[in-house]
């Protein structure tokens, strides 16, 4: 096994053997939802949180009973074990299945349920110390960004644009100038020692990593405010007491050192970010049954 294996509607197959109907509504209409779960040392990270969000996404698109015959809490660990996957991720997708192409729901949908494993390298500590750059873009997505929908065209276009601009990730901006989230990540600023992030509403995805960043901050006694902020606020404090970072399942947390070509904190990751990241890396290592990695943040 090379660490890659597919579960498709009850069967385990080689990834390249998987076939989905051309009239699958996920393919034609984006009528589906997905999850991406990190795997470390063969263990699915924060699986219960991902399964809870999966249920919420399915309920939101009125496909609440799609997984009746697929016990994902059992199937996913089985898939990872059969694939012989150590470190990597699982991509899971549920669509309203195939039916003659019409917009309203088919009378008796038979959902397409799939998940596959993929071996993957995660960001190296050296990359974490270098930090990433963000490219601000207008948020042209729909009004239900809280649903983890497979309609990702806006993210595809802005992430391509970010790459062409030499940035690592796009940054979705609201028309009023507030910062929403990354192309496929949540973002946080540390302004005057307070961790700030956009509140949970229909404009952002409730990231699982975001949830754990906030939990860790609470545990460490670092003040948190789920309140939107502008790039202006970041820039005004940029020279001094300001940090910025992103968070997602496959990247954990990454320090942001420049936004739209303007350096944050002189282009160096900040101490609050590194403290949170050290704690997250320790938590992930414990979940994976591994030794705690060396601290990124030196003693004060
Ligand atoms: C738009 C968006 N926001 C945030 C996230 C981060 O979510 P999570 O931490 O659950 O991976 C993602 C992940 O793909 C995303 O696509």
């Amino acid at each position: 096994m090379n660490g890659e294996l597919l579960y498709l509607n009850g069967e385990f197959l080689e990834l390249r053997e998987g076939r989905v109907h051309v009239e699958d509504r996920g393919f034609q209409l984006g009528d589906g939802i997905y999850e991406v779960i990190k795997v470390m040392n063969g263990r699915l990270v924060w699986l219960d949180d991902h399964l809870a969000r999966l249920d919420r996404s399915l309920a939101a698109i009125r496909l609440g009973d799609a997984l009746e015959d697929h016990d994902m809490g059992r199937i996913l660990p089985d898939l990872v074990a059969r694939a012989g996957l150590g470190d990597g991720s699982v991509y899971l997708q549920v669509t309203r299945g195939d039916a003659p192409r019409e917009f309203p729901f088919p009378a008796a949908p038979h959902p397409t349920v799939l998940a596959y494993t993929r071996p993957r390298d995660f960001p190296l500590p050296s990359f974490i110390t270098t930090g990433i750059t963000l490219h601000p873009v207008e948020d042209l997505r729909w009004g239900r960004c809280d649903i983890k929908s497979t309609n990702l065209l806006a993210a595809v276009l802005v992430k391509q644009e970010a790459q062409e601009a030499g940035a690592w990730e796009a940054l979705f901006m609201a028309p009023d100038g507030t910062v929403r989230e990354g192309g496929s990540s949540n973002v946080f600023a540390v302004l005057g020692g307070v961790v700030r992030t956009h509140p949970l509403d229909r404009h952002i995805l409730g990231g699982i990593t975001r949830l754990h960043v906030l939990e860790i901050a609470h545990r460490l006694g670092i003040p948190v405010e789920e309140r939107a902020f502008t790039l202006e606020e970041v820039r005004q404090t940029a020279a001094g007491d300001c940090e910025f970072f992103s968070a997602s399942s496959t990247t954990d947390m990454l320090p942001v050192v420049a936004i739209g070509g303007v350096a944050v904190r002189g282009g160096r990751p900040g101490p609050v970010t590194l403290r949170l990241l050290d704690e997250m890396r320790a938590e992930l290592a414990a979940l994976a049954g591994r030794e705690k990695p060396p601290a990124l943040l030196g003693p004060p």
Side-chain angles (χ1 to χ4, degrees), residues 188-208:
F188 303 74
V190 187
L191 299 170
V194 180
V195 175
R196 290 270 296 275
T197 195
H198 196 285
L200 289 183
D201 62 15
R202 292 182 169 197
H203 295 306
I204 67 159
L205 180 74
I208 304 305

Side-chain angles (χ1 to χ4, degrees), residues 36 67 90 190:
V36 179
L67 295 177
V90 168
V190 187

Side-chain angles (χ1 to χ4, degrees), residues 75-293:
I75 292 165
L76 296 183
D78 187 21
L79 175 69
V80 168
R82 286 175 188 242
L85 180 67
D87 285 350
S89 57
V90 168
Y91 176 85
L92 182 160
Q93 181 174 321
V94 183
T95 76
R96 212 176 305 274
D98 67 271
R101 190 178 181 283
E102 296 284 352
F103 286 88
F105 301 165
H110 33 98
T112 301
V113 178
L114 65 86
Y116 61 88
T117 53
R118 173 139 289 164
R120 189 187 292 223
D121 290 333
F122 299 120
L124 297 168
S126 59
F127 188 56
I128 293 167
T129 18
T130 329
I132 61 163
T133 55
L134 302 181
H135 176 68
V137 292
E138 187 185 351
D139 191 352
L140 291 173
R141 298 173 301 171
W142 70 325
R144 289 301 307 272
C145 295
D146 56 318
I147 302 173
K148 203 161 165 63
S149 143
T150 54
N151 285 277
L152 292 171
L153 188 54
V156 166
L157 294 176
V158 298
K159 282 174 82 91
Q160 177 64 26
E161 186 186 315
Q163 198 183 78
E164 285 167 5
W168 203 83
E169 167 70 305
L171 180 63
F172 282 123
M173 304 292 303
D176 68 357
T178 54
V179 171
R180 284 185 175 156
E181 62 180 336
S184 59
S185 55
N186 291 112
V187 296
F188 303 74
V190 187
L191 299 170
V194 180
V195 175
R196 290 270 296 275
T197 195
H198 196 285
L200 289 183
D201 62 15
R202 292 182 169 197
H203 295 306
I204 67 159
L205 180 74
I208 304 305
T209 323
R210 176 189 183 280
L211 182 75
H212 285 269
V213 167
L214 297 181
E215 247 178 54
I216 291 170
H218 286 305
R219 201 189 312 142
L220 295 179
I222 299 171
V224 168
E225 258 186 77
E226 292 179 66
R227 182 159 67 86
F229 56 90
T230 62
L231 277 188
E232 212 30 58
E233 284 175 78
V234 173
R235 286 189 178 134
Q236 274 166 12
T237 24
D241 203 8
C242 173
E243 301 176 30
F244 206 100
F245 60 91
S246 73
S248 81
S249 293
T250 49
T251 61
D252 307 332
M253 285 173 56
L254 289 173
V256 171
V257 293
I259 304 171
V262 179
V264 177
R265 214 180 163 273
R268 287 187 327 278
V272 177
T273 307
L274 294 180
R275 200 165 158 229
L276 289 165
L277 183 49
D278 272 336
E279 192 68 19
M280 179 171 285
R281 278 156 47 99
E283 185 177 325
L284 291 172
L287 282 175
R290 288 198 174 128
E291 262 181 47
K292 190 172 157 178

